[in-house]
PDB file of all heavy atoms in Angstrom:
ATOM      1  N   TRP A 167      17.102  -1.046   7.804  1.00  0.00           N
ATOM      2  CA  TRP A 167      16.379   0.183   7.497  1.00  0.00           C
ATOM      3  C   TRP A 167      15.444   0.494   8.669  1.00  0.00           C
ATOM      4  O   TRP A 167      14.759  -0.402   9.172  1.00  0.00           O
ATOM      5  CB  TRP A 167      15.565   0.047   6.224  1.00  0.00           C
ATOM      6  CG  TRP A 167      16.362   0.107   4.960  1.00  0.00           C
ATOM      7  CD1 TRP A 167      16.875  -0.947   4.266  1.00  0.00           C
ATOM      8  CD2 TRP A 167      16.724   1.283   4.236  1.00  0.00           C
ATOM      9  NE1 TRP A 167      17.552  -0.499   3.157  1.00  0.00           N
ATOM     10  CE2 TRP A 167      17.466   0.873   3.115  1.00  0.00           C
ATOM     11  CE3 TRP A 167      16.510   2.649   4.415  1.00  0.00           C
ATOM     12  CZ2 TRP A 167      17.976   1.768   2.175  1.00  0.00           C
ATOM     13  CZ3 TRP A 167      17.018   3.544   3.491  1.00  0.00           C
ATOM     14  CH2 TRP A 167      17.747   3.107   2.389  1.00  0.00           C
ATOM     15  N   PHE A 168      15.427   1.743   9.050  1.00  0.00           N
ATOM     16  CA  PHE A 168      14.563   2.229  10.114  1.00  0.00           C
ATOM     17  C   PHE A 168      13.836   3.469   9.608  1.00  0.00           C
ATOM     18  O   PHE A 168      14.235   4.083   8.618  1.00  0.00           O
ATOM     19  CB  PHE A 168      15.377   2.577  11.362  1.00  0.00           C
ATOM     20  CG  PHE A 168      15.976   1.390  12.051  1.00  0.00           C
ATOM     21  CD1 PHE A 168      17.102   0.762  11.541  1.00  0.00           C
ATOM     22  CD2 PHE A 168      15.413   0.892  13.210  1.00  0.00           C
ATOM     23  CE1 PHE A 168      17.667  -0.331  12.174  1.00  0.00           C
ATOM     24  CE2 PHE A 168      15.959  -0.210  13.859  1.00  0.00           C
ATOM     25  CZ  PHE A 168      17.085  -0.819  13.333  1.00  0.00           C
ATOM     26  N   ARG A 169      12.804   3.842  10.307  1.00  0.00           N
ATOM     27  CA  ARG A 169      12.110   5.084   9.976  1.00  0.00           C
ATOM     28  C   ARG A 169      11.650   5.763  11.251  1.00  0.00           C
ATOM     29  O   ARG A 169      11.446   5.110  12.278  1.00  0.00           O
ATOM     30  CB  ARG A 169      10.931   4.814   9.043  1.00  0.00           C
ATOM     31  CG  ARG A 169       9.811   3.985   9.650  1.00  0.00           C
ATOM     32  CD  ARG A 169       8.782   3.656   8.579  1.00  0.00           C
ATOM     33  NE  ARG A 169       7.664   2.904   9.123  1.00  0.00           N
ATOM     34  CZ  ARG A 169       6.686   2.381   8.388  1.00  0.00           C
ATOM     35  NH1 ARG A 169       6.692   2.539   7.046  1.00  0.00           N
ATOM     36  NH2 ARG A 169       5.690   1.722   8.950  1.00  0.00           N
ATOM     37  N   GLN A 170      11.490   7.067  11.137  1.00  0.00           N
ATOM     38  CA  GLN A 170      11.029   7.835  12.284  1.00  0.00           C
ATOM     39  C   GLN A 170      10.088   8.926  11.812  1.00  0.00           C
ATOM     40  O   GLN A 170      10.474   9.796  11.022  1.00  0.00           O
ATOM     41  CB  GLN A 170      12.204   8.429  13.058  1.00  0.00           C
ATOM     42  CG  GLN A 170      11.803   9.056  14.378  1.00  0.00           C
ATOM     43  CD  GLN A 170      12.989   9.314  15.273  1.00  0.00           C
ATOM     44  OE1 GLN A 170      14.135   9.366  14.827  1.00  0.00           O
ATOM     45  NE2 GLN A 170      12.727   9.468  16.557  1.00  0.00           N
ATOM     46  N   ALA A 171       8.871   8.863  12.299  1.00  0.00           N
ATOM     47  CA  ALA A 171       7.873   9.887  12.007  1.00  0.00           C
ATOM     48  C   ALA A 171       7.915  10.942  13.106  1.00  0.00           C
ATOM     49  O   ALA A 171       8.351  10.654  14.225  1.00  0.00           O
ATOM     50  CB  ALA A 171       6.494   9.254  11.912  1.00  0.00           C
ATOM     51  N   PRO A 172       7.436  12.147  12.823  1.00  0.00           N
ATOM     52  CA  PRO A 172       7.458  13.213  13.843  1.00  0.00           C
ATOM     53  C   PRO A 172       6.724  12.796  15.103  1.00  0.00           C
ATOM     54  O   PRO A 172       5.606  12.270  15.049  1.00  0.00           O
ATOM     55  CB  PRO A 172       6.736  14.363  13.141  1.00  0.00           C
ATOM     56  CG  PRO A 172       6.958  14.123  11.699  1.00  0.00           C
ATOM     57  CD  PRO A 172       6.956  12.633  11.528  1.00  0.00           C
ATOM     58  N   GLY A 173       7.389  12.970  16.238  1.00  0.00           N
ATOM     59  CA  GLY A 173       6.784  12.663  17.512  1.00  0.00           C
ATOM     60  C   GLY A 173       6.745  11.191  17.869  1.00  0.00           C
ATOM     61  O   GLY A 173       6.160  10.814  18.887  1.00  0.00           O
ATOM     62  N   LYS A 174       7.354  10.368  17.025  1.00  0.00           N
ATOM     63  CA  LYS A 174       7.351   8.923  17.276  1.00  0.00           C
ATOM     64  C   LYS A 174       8.766   8.398  17.429  1.00  0.00           C
ATOM     65  O   LYS A 174       9.739   9.025  17.007  1.00  0.00           O
ATOM     66  CB  LYS A 174       6.631   8.193  16.141  1.00  0.00           C
ATOM     67  CG  LYS A 174       5.151   8.511  16.047  1.00  0.00           C
ATOM     68  CD  LYS A 174       4.458   7.610  15.041  1.00  0.00           C
ATOM     69  CE  LYS A 174       2.968   7.866  15.012  1.00  0.00           C
ATOM     70  NZ  LYS A 174       2.275   6.962  14.041  1.00  0.00           N
ATOM     71  N   GLU A 175       8.869   7.222  18.012  1.00  0.00           N
ATOM     72  CA  GLU A 175      10.167   6.591  18.176  1.00  0.00           C
ATOM     73  C   GLU A 175      10.645   6.003  16.840  1.00  0.00           C
ATOM     74  O   GLU A 175       9.858   5.737  15.941  1.00  0.00           O
ATOM     75  CB  GLU A 175      10.089   5.484  19.229  1.00  0.00           C
ATOM     76  CG  GLU A 175       9.813   5.999  20.631  1.00  0.00           C
ATOM     77  CD  GLU A 175       9.888   4.902  21.669  1.00  0.00           C
ATOM     78  OE1 GLU A 175      10.025   3.728  21.280  1.00  0.00           O
ATOM     79  OE2 GLU A 175       9.812   5.221  22.873  1.00  0.00           O
ATOM     80  N   ARG A 176      11.952   5.812  16.763  1.00  0.00           N
ATOM     81  CA  ARG A 176      12.522   5.183  15.575  1.00  0.00           C
ATOM     82  C   ARG A 176      12.007   3.743  15.483  1.00  0.00           C
ATOM     83  O   ARG A 176      12.029   3.008  16.466  1.00  0.00           O
ATOM     84  CB  ARG A 176      14.045   5.217  15.646  1.00  0.00           C
ATOM     85  CG  ARG A 176      14.717   4.834  14.350  1.00  0.00           C
ATOM     86  CD  ARG A 176      16.152   5.271  14.350  1.00  0.00           C
ATOM     87  NE  ARG A 176      16.291   6.721  14.447  1.00  0.00           N
ATOM     88  CZ  ARG A 176      17.422   7.380  14.248  1.00  0.00           C
ATOM     89  NH1 ARG A 176      18.526   6.713  13.929  1.00  0.00           N
ATOM     90  NH2 ARG A 176      17.454   8.691  14.366  1.00  0.00           N
ATOM     91  N   GLU A 177      11.590   3.369  14.302  1.00  0.00           N
ATOM     92  CA  GLU A 177      10.922   2.088  14.077  1.00  0.00           C
ATOM     93  C   GLU A 177      11.700   1.229  13.094  1.00  0.00           C
ATOM     94  O   GLU A 177      12.125   1.717  12.036  1.00  0.00           O
ATOM     95  CB  GLU A 177       9.507   2.355  13.538  1.00  0.00           C
ATOM     96  CG  GLU A 177       8.715   1.131  13.166  1.00  0.00           C
ATOM     97  CD  GLU A 177       7.425   1.472  12.432  1.00  0.00           C
ATOM     98  OE1 GLU A 177       7.328   2.601  11.909  1.00  0.00           O
ATOM     99  OE2 GLU A 177       6.532   0.610  12.374  1.00  0.00           O
ATOM    100  N   PHE A 178      11.850  -0.030  13.411  1.00  0.00           N
ATOM    101  CA  PHE A 178      12.502  -0.969  12.512  1.00  0.00           C
ATOM    102  C   PHE A 178      11.622  -1.231  11.289  1.00  0.00           C
ATOM    103  O   PHE A 178      10.407  -1.425  11.420  1.00  0.00           O
ATOM    104  CB  PHE A 178      12.777  -2.275  13.252  1.00  0.00           C
ATOM    105  CG  PHE A 178      13.278  -3.399  12.382  1.00  0.00           C
ATOM    106  CD1 PHE A 178      14.585  -3.426  11.946  1.00  0.00           C
ATOM    107  CD2 PHE A 178      12.428  -4.422  12.004  1.00  0.00           C
ATOM    108  CE1 PHE A 178      15.053  -4.462  11.152  1.00  0.00           C
ATOM    109  CE2 PHE A 178      12.871  -5.475  11.218  1.00  0.00           C
ATOM    110  CZ  PHE A 178      14.186  -5.486  10.788  1.00  0.00           C
ATOM    111  N   VAL A 179      12.234  -1.233  10.115  1.00  0.00           N
ATOM    112  CA  VAL A 179      11.528  -1.514   8.869  1.00  0.00           C
ATOM    113  C   VAL A 179      11.922  -2.880   8.322  1.00  0.00           C
ATOM    114  O   VAL A 179      11.073  -3.709   8.013  1.00  0.00           O
ATOM    115  CB  VAL A 179      11.828  -0.421   7.826  1.00  0.00           C
ATOM    116  CG1 VAL A 179      11.249  -0.802   6.460  1.00  0.00           C
ATOM    117  CG2 VAL A 179      11.288   0.920   8.285  1.00  0.00           C
ATOM    118  N   GLY A 180      13.207  -3.117   8.202  1.00  0.00           N
ATOM    119  CA  GLY A 180      13.680  -4.382   7.672  1.00  0.00           C
ATOM    120  C   GLY A 180      15.191  -4.437   7.690  1.00  0.00           C
ATOM    121  O   GLY A 180      15.856  -3.437   7.956  1.00  0.00           O
ATOM    122  N   ALA A 181      15.729  -5.616   7.389  1.00  0.00           N
ATOM    123  CA  ALA A 181      17.179  -5.789   7.400  1.00  0.00           C
ATOM    124  C   ALA A 181      17.571  -6.853   6.387  1.00  0.00           C
ATOM    125  O   ALA A 181      16.761  -7.717   6.019  1.00  0.00           O
ATOM    126  CB  ALA A 181      17.672  -6.170   8.789  1.00  0.00           C
ATOM    127  N   ILE A 182      18.819  -6.765   5.967  1.00  0.00           N
ATOM    128  CA  ILE A 182      19.369  -7.742   5.033  1.00  0.00           C
ATOM    129  C   ILE A 182      20.737  -8.164   5.536  1.00  0.00           C
ATOM    130  O   ILE A 182      21.509  -7.348   6.041  1.00  0.00           O
ATOM    131  CB  ILE A 182      19.443  -7.168   3.599  1.00  0.00           C
ATOM    132  CG1 ILE A 182      19.847  -8.249   2.598  1.00  0.00           C
ATOM    133  CG2 ILE A 182      20.377  -5.962   3.537  1.00  0.00           C
ATOM    134  CD1 ILE A 182      19.616  -7.832   1.154  1.00  0.00           C
ATOM    135  N   SER A 183      21.027  -9.449   5.425  1.00  0.00           N
ATOM    136  CA  SER A 183      22.304  -9.963   5.897  1.00  0.00           C
ATOM    137  C   SER A 183      23.439  -9.546   4.967  1.00  0.00           C
ATOM    138  O   SER A 183      23.211  -9.088   3.853  1.00  0.00           O
ATOM    139  CB  SER A 183      22.249 -11.486   5.993  1.00  0.00           C
ATOM    140  OG  SER A 183      22.001 -12.048   4.715  1.00  0.00           O
ATOM    141  N   TRP A 184      24.652  -9.744   5.422  1.00  0.00           N
ATOM    142  CA  TRP A 184      25.802  -9.303   4.643  1.00  0.00           C
ATOM    143  C   TRP A 184      25.828  -9.967   3.267  1.00  0.00           C
ATOM    144  O   TRP A 184      26.209  -9.355   2.281  1.00  0.00           O
ATOM    145  CB  TRP A 184      27.109  -9.587   5.391  1.00  0.00           C
ATOM    146  CG  TRP A 184      27.443 -11.048   5.494  1.00  0.00           C
ATOM    147  CD1 TRP A 184      27.113 -11.911   6.495  1.00  0.00           C
ATOM    148  CD2 TRP A 184      28.177 -11.821   4.534  1.00  0.00           C
ATOM    149  NE1 TRP A 184      27.582 -13.163   6.215  1.00  0.00           N
ATOM    150  CE2 TRP A 184      28.254 -13.135   5.032  1.00  0.00           C
ATOM    151  CE3 TRP A 184      28.783 -11.526   3.316  1.00  0.00           C
ATOM    152  CZ2 TRP A 184      28.888 -14.157   4.338  1.00  0.00           C
ATOM    153  CZ3 TRP A 184      29.434 -12.543   2.626  1.00  0.00           C
ATOM    154  CH2 TRP A 184      29.476 -13.847   3.145  1.00  0.00           C
ATOM    155  N   SER A 185      25.400 -11.220   3.210  1.00  0.00           N
ATOM    156  CA  SER A 185      25.444 -11.953   1.946  1.00  0.00           C
ATOM    157  C   SER A 185      24.254 -11.640   1.052  1.00  0.00           C
ATOM    158  O   SER A 185      24.273 -11.925  -0.149  1.00  0.00           O
ATOM    159  CB  SER A 185      25.467 -13.451   2.222  1.00  0.00           C
ATOM    160  OG  SER A 185      24.254 -13.854   2.824  1.00  0.00           O
ATOM    161  N   GLY A 186      23.213 -11.082   1.656  1.00  0.00           N
ATOM    162  CA  GLY A 186      21.980 -10.861   0.908  1.00  0.00           C
ATOM    163  C   GLY A 186      21.059 -12.063   0.901  1.00  0.00           C
ATOM    164  O   GLY A 186      19.967 -11.997   0.347  1.00  0.00           O
ATOM    165  N   SER A 187      21.462 -13.133   1.521  1.00  0.00           N
ATOM    166  CA  SER A 187      20.674 -14.363   1.485  1.00  0.00           C
ATOM    167  C   SER A 187      19.529 -14.358   2.484  1.00  0.00           C
ATOM    168  O   SER A 187      18.594 -15.163   2.365  1.00  0.00           O
ATOM    169  CB  SER A 187      21.569 -15.576   1.758  1.00  0.00           C
ATOM    170  OG  SER A 187      22.136 -15.492   3.046  1.00  0.00           O
ATOM    171  N   SER A 188      19.606 -13.476   3.473  1.00  0.00           N
ATOM    172  CA  SER A 188      18.545 -13.413   4.493  1.00  0.00           C
ATOM    173  C   SER A 188      17.998 -11.997   4.588  1.00  0.00           C
ATOM    174  O   SER A 188      18.761 -11.029   4.568  1.00  0.00           O
ATOM    175  CB  SER A 188      19.083 -13.829   5.858  1.00  0.00           C
ATOM    176  OG  SER A 188      19.521 -15.169   5.849  1.00  0.00           O
ATOM    177  N   THR A 189      16.691 -11.910   4.690  1.00  0.00           N
ATOM    178  CA  THR A 189      16.031 -10.633   4.927  1.00  0.00           C
ATOM    179  C   THR A 189      14.986 -10.820   6.020  1.00  0.00           C
ATOM    180  O   THR A 189      14.527 -11.932   6.295  1.00  0.00           O
ATOM    181  CB  THR A 189      15.337 -10.090   3.666  1.00  0.00           C
ATOM    182  OG1 THR A 189      14.461 -11.096   3.146  1.00  0.00           O
ATOM    183  CG2 THR A 189      16.341  -9.687   2.614  1.00  0.00           C
ATOM    184  N   TYR A 190      14.621  -9.707   6.607  1.00  0.00           N
ATOM    185  CA  TYR A 190      13.686  -9.737   7.737  1.00  0.00           C
ATOM    186  C   TYR A 190      12.935  -8.421   7.731  1.00  0.00           C
ATOM    187  O   TYR A 190      13.554  -7.367   7.599  1.00  0.00           O
ATOM    188  CB  TYR A 190      14.466  -9.922   9.028  1.00  0.00           C
ATOM    189  CG  TYR A 190      13.661  -9.892  10.304  1.00  0.00           C
ATOM    190  CD1 TYR A 190      12.609 -10.773  10.505  1.00  0.00           C
ATOM    191  CD2 TYR A 190      13.968  -8.996  11.315  1.00  0.00           C
ATOM    192  CE1 TYR A 190      11.874 -10.743  11.672  1.00  0.00           C
ATOM    193  CE2 TYR A 190      13.244  -8.965  12.485  1.00  0.00           C
ATOM    194  CZ  TYR A 190      12.201  -9.844  12.667  1.00  0.00           C
ATOM    195  OH  TYR A 190      11.486  -9.818  13.835  1.00  0.00           O
ATOM    196  N   TYR A 191      11.609  -8.476   7.867  1.00  0.00           N
ATOM    197  CA  TYR A 191      10.795  -7.274   7.759  1.00  0.00           C
ATOM    198  C   TYR A 191       9.865  -7.121   8.945  1.00  0.00           C
ATOM    199  O   TYR A 191       9.402  -8.104   9.522  1.00  0.00           O
ATOM    200  CB  TYR A 191       9.950  -7.334   6.476  1.00  0.00           C
ATOM    201  CG  TYR A 191      10.766  -7.423   5.212  1.00  0.00           C
ATOM    202  CD1 TYR A 191      11.052  -8.639   4.625  1.00  0.00           C
ATOM    203  CD2 TYR A 191      11.256  -6.264   4.602  1.00  0.00           C
ATOM    204  CE1 TYR A 191      11.806  -8.721   3.466  1.00  0.00           C
ATOM    205  CE2 TYR A 191      12.003  -6.330   3.442  1.00  0.00           C
ATOM    206  CZ  TYR A 191      12.284  -7.565   2.885  1.00  0.00           C
ATOM    207  OH  TYR A 191      13.030  -7.640   1.734  1.00  0.00           O
ATOM    208  N   ALA A 192       9.570  -5.880   9.247  1.00  0.00           N
ATOM    209  CA  ALA A 192       8.522  -5.599  10.214  1.00  0.00           C
ATOM    210  C   ALA A 192       7.175  -6.003   9.610  1.00  0.00           C
ATOM    211  O   ALA A 192       6.976  -5.927   8.390  1.00  0.00           O
ATOM    212  CB  ALA A 192       8.525  -4.119  10.558  1.00  0.00           C
ATOM    213  N   ASP A 193       6.266  -6.400  10.469  1.00  0.00           N
ATOM    214  CA  ASP A 193       4.946  -6.827   9.997  1.00  0.00           C
ATOM    215  C   ASP A 193       4.242  -5.720   9.217  1.00  0.00           C
ATOM    216  O   ASP A 193       3.495  -5.990   8.279  1.00  0.00           O
ATOM    217  CB  ASP A 193       4.085  -7.239  11.189  1.00  0.00           C
ATOM    218  CG  ASP A 193       4.553  -8.537  11.827  1.00  0.00           C
ATOM    219  OD1 ASP A 193       5.348  -9.267  11.193  1.00  0.00           O
ATOM    220  OD2 ASP A 193       4.127  -8.821  12.959  1.00  0.00           O
ATOM    221  N   SER A 194       4.499  -4.483   9.596  1.00  0.00           N
ATOM    222  CA  SER A 194       3.797  -3.356   8.981  1.00  0.00           C
ATOM    223  C   SER A 194       4.175  -3.144   7.518  1.00  0.00           C
ATOM    224  O   SER A 194       3.437  -2.489   6.779  1.00  0.00           O
ATOM    225  CB  SER A 194       4.068  -2.074   9.772  1.00  0.00           C
ATOM    226  OG  SER A 194       5.464  -1.819   9.828  1.00  0.00           O
ATOM    227  N   VAL A 195       5.310  -3.684   7.083  1.00  0.00           N
ATOM    228  CA  VAL A 195       5.761  -3.477   5.708  1.00  0.00           C
ATOM    229  C   VAL A 195       5.931  -4.772   4.940  1.00  0.00           C
ATOM    230  O   VAL A 195       6.173  -4.741   3.722  1.00  0.00           O
ATOM    231  CB  VAL A 195       7.079  -2.678   5.662  1.00  0.00           C
ATOM    232  CG1 VAL A 195       6.952  -1.380   6.441  1.00  0.00           C
ATOM    233  CG2 VAL A 195       8.241  -3.506   6.187  1.00  0.00           C
ATOM    234  N   ALA A 196       5.851  -5.903   5.599  1.00  0.00           N
ATOM    235  CA  ALA A 196       6.055  -7.201   4.939  1.00  0.00           C
ATOM    236  C   ALA A 196       5.067  -7.352   3.783  1.00  0.00           C
ATOM    237  O   ALA A 196       3.878  -7.063   3.924  1.00  0.00           O
ATOM    238  CB  ALA A 196       5.890  -8.327   5.952  1.00  0.00           C
ATOM    239  N   GLY A 197       5.599  -7.780   2.659  1.00  0.00           N
ATOM    240  CA  GLY A 197       4.777  -7.937   1.467  1.00  0.00           C
ATOM    241  C   GLY A 197       4.696  -6.691   0.613  1.00  0.00           C
ATOM    242  O   GLY A 197       4.276  -6.754  -0.549  1.00  0.00           O
ATOM    243  N   ARG A 198       5.096  -5.560   1.171  1.00  0.00           N
ATOM    244  CA  ARG A 198       5.076  -4.300   0.404  1.00  0.00           C
ATOM    245  C   ARG A 198       6.494  -3.786   0.144  1.00  0.00           C
ATOM    246  O   ARG A 198       6.740  -3.148  -0.879  1.00  0.00           O
ATOM    247  CB  ARG A 198       4.294  -3.233   1.160  1.00  0.00           C
ATOM    248  CG  ARG A 198       2.846  -3.584   1.402  1.00  0.00           C
ATOM    249  CD  ARG A 198       2.073  -2.394   1.965  1.00  0.00           C
ATOM    250  NE  ARG A 198       2.569  -1.972   3.267  1.00  0.00           N
ATOM    251  CZ  ARG A 198       2.993  -0.737   3.521  1.00  0.00           C
ATOM    252  NH1 ARG A 198       2.977   0.194   2.580  1.00  0.00           N
ATOM    253  NH2 ARG A 198       3.410  -0.423   4.742  1.00  0.00           N
ATOM    254  N   TYR A 199       7.396  -4.044   1.071  1.00  0.00           N
ATOM    255  CA  TYR A 199       8.768  -3.562   0.965  1.00  0.00           C
ATOM    256  C   TYR A 199       9.706  -4.720   0.650  1.00  0.00           C
ATOM    257  O   TYR A 199       9.501  -5.844   1.130  1.00  0.00           O
ATOM    258  CB  TYR A 199       9.224  -2.922   2.268  1.00  0.00           C
ATOM    259  CG  TYR A 199       8.618  -1.583   2.614  1.00  0.00           C
ATOM    260  CD1 TYR A 199       7.478  -1.090   1.990  1.00  0.00           C
ATOM    261  CD2 TYR A 199       9.208  -0.783   3.595  1.00  0.00           C
ATOM    262  CE1 TYR A 199       6.940   0.140   2.322  1.00  0.00           C
ATOM    263  CE2 TYR A 199       8.692   0.456   3.946  1.00  0.00           C
ATOM    264  CZ  TYR A 199       7.559   0.901   3.315  1.00  0.00           C
ATOM    265  OH  TYR A 199       7.035   2.121   3.654  1.00  0.00           O
ATOM    266  N   THR A 200      10.755  -4.420  -0.090  1.00  0.00           N
ATOM    267  CA  THR A 200      11.769  -5.419  -0.407  1.00  0.00           C
ATOM    268  C   THR A 200      13.154  -4.786  -0.295  1.00  0.00           C
ATOM    269  O   THR A 200      13.392  -3.721  -0.870  1.00  0.00           O
ATOM    270  CB  THR A 200      11.589  -5.973  -1.819  1.00  0.00           C
ATOM    271  OG1 THR A 200      10.281  -6.542  -1.954  1.00  0.00           O
ATOM    272  CG2 THR A 200      12.627  -7.059  -2.104  1.00  0.00           C
ATOM    273  N   ILE A 201      14.027  -5.464   0.424  1.00  0.00           N
ATOM    274  CA  ILE A 201      15.405  -4.998   0.571  1.00  0.00           C
ATOM    275  C   ILE A 201      16.314  -5.879  -0.273  1.00  0.00           C
ATOM    276  O   ILE A 201      16.181  -7.110  -0.265  1.00  0.00           O
ATOM    277  CB  ILE A 201      15.866  -5.047   2.038  1.00  0.00           C
ATOM    278  CG1 ILE A 201      14.954  -4.176   2.902  1.00  0.00           C
ATOM    279  CG2 ILE A 201      17.313  -4.575   2.163  1.00  0.00           C
ATOM    280  CD1 ILE A 201      15.247  -4.287   4.384  1.00  0.00           C
ATOM    281  N   SER A 202      17.241  -5.245  -0.963  1.00  0.00           N
ATOM    282  CA  SER A 202      18.219  -5.984  -1.753  1.00  0.00           C
ATOM    283  C   SER A 202      19.557  -5.265  -1.653  1.00  0.00           C
ATOM    284  O   SER A 202      19.629  -4.116  -1.187  1.00  0.00           O
ATOM    285  CB  SER A 202      17.770  -6.065  -3.215  1.00  0.00           C
ATOM    286  OG  SER A 202      17.621  -4.774  -3.779  1.00  0.00           O
ATOM    287  N   ARG A 203      20.604  -5.947  -2.077  1.00  0.00           N
ATOM    288  CA  ARG A 203      21.910  -5.295  -2.045  1.00  0.00           C
ATOM    289  C   ARG A 203      22.727  -5.699  -3.258  1.00  0.00           C
ATOM    290  O   ARG A 203      22.562  -6.805  -3.803  1.00  0.00           O
ATOM    291  CB  ARG A 203      22.657  -5.598  -0.746  1.00  0.00           C
ATOM    292  CG  ARG A 203      23.131  -6.987  -0.534  1.00  0.00           C
ATOM    293  CD  ARG A 203      23.661  -7.158   0.906  1.00  0.00           C
ATOM    294  NE  ARG A 203      24.742  -6.245   1.227  1.00  0.00           N
ATOM    295  CZ  ARG A 203      25.179  -5.982   2.467  1.00  0.00           C
ATOM    296  NH1 ARG A 203      24.597  -6.576   3.497  1.00  0.00           N
ATOM    297  NH2 ARG A 203      26.178  -5.156   2.674  1.00  0.00           N
ATOM    298  N   ASP A 204      23.599  -4.787  -3.642  1.00  0.00           N
ATOM    299  CA  ASP A 204      24.501  -4.985  -4.768  1.00  0.00           C
ATOM    300  C   ASP A 204      25.912  -4.775  -4.247  1.00  0.00           C
ATOM    301  O   ASP A 204      26.327  -3.626  -4.021  1.00  0.00           O
ATOM    302  CB  ASP A 204      24.153  -3.993  -5.877  1.00  0.00           C
ATOM    303  CG  ASP A 204      24.968  -4.206  -7.135  1.00  0.00           C
ATOM    304  OD1 ASP A 204      26.094  -4.714  -7.047  1.00  0.00           O
ATOM    305  OD2 ASP A 204      24.474  -3.838  -8.216  1.00  0.00           O
ATOM    306  N   HIS A 205      26.627  -5.856  -4.075  1.00  0.00           N
ATOM    307  CA  HIS A 205      27.976  -5.752  -3.513  1.00  0.00           C
ATOM    308  C   HIS A 205      28.924  -5.005  -4.441  1.00  0.00           C
ATOM    309  O   HIS A 205      29.804  -4.273  -3.981  1.00  0.00           O
ATOM    310  CB  HIS A 205      28.526  -7.145  -3.218  1.00  0.00           C
ATOM    311  CG  HIS A 205      27.939  -7.769  -1.987  1.00  0.00           C
ATOM    312  ND1 HIS A 205      28.131  -7.243  -0.734  1.00  0.00           N
ATOM    313  CD2 HIS A 205      27.162  -8.856  -1.820  1.00  0.00           C
ATOM    314  CE1 HIS A 205      27.505  -7.986   0.166  1.00  0.00           C
ATOM    315  NE2 HIS A 205      26.894  -8.971  -0.471  1.00  0.00           N
ATOM    316  N   ALA A 206      28.747  -5.168  -5.711  1.00  0.00           N
ATOM    317  CA  ALA A 206      29.639  -4.498  -6.658  1.00  0.00           C
ATOM    318  C   ALA A 206      29.519  -2.985  -6.567  1.00  0.00           C
ATOM    319  O   ALA A 206      30.496  -2.257  -6.766  1.00  0.00           O
ATOM    320  CB  ALA A 206      29.333  -4.964  -8.068  1.00  0.00           C
ATOM    321  N   LYS A 207      28.323  -2.502  -6.242  1.00  0.00           N
ATOM    322  CA  LYS A 207      28.088  -1.058  -6.161  1.00  0.00           C
ATOM    323  C   LYS A 207      28.096  -0.555  -4.728  1.00  0.00           C
ATOM    324  O   LYS A 207      27.900   0.644  -4.503  1.00  0.00           O
ATOM    325  CB  LYS A 207      26.754  -0.717  -6.825  1.00  0.00           C
ATOM    326  CG  LYS A 207      26.715  -1.023  -8.304  1.00  0.00           C
ATOM    327  CD  LYS A 207      25.371  -0.624  -8.904  1.00  0.00           C
ATOM    328  CE  LYS A 207      25.334  -0.904 -10.398  1.00  0.00           C
ATOM    329  NZ  LYS A 207      24.027  -0.527 -10.990  1.00  0.00           N
TER     330      LYS A 207
END
């Protein structure tokens, strides 16, 4: 997941591995954002 505010560069937010077993977050959102995935959907 990335985000881009007006006039700013695209910023990394977080990522999740294909299996869902690993996640990684930017410091600015860690503890507030959570990434998950549903393979069936």
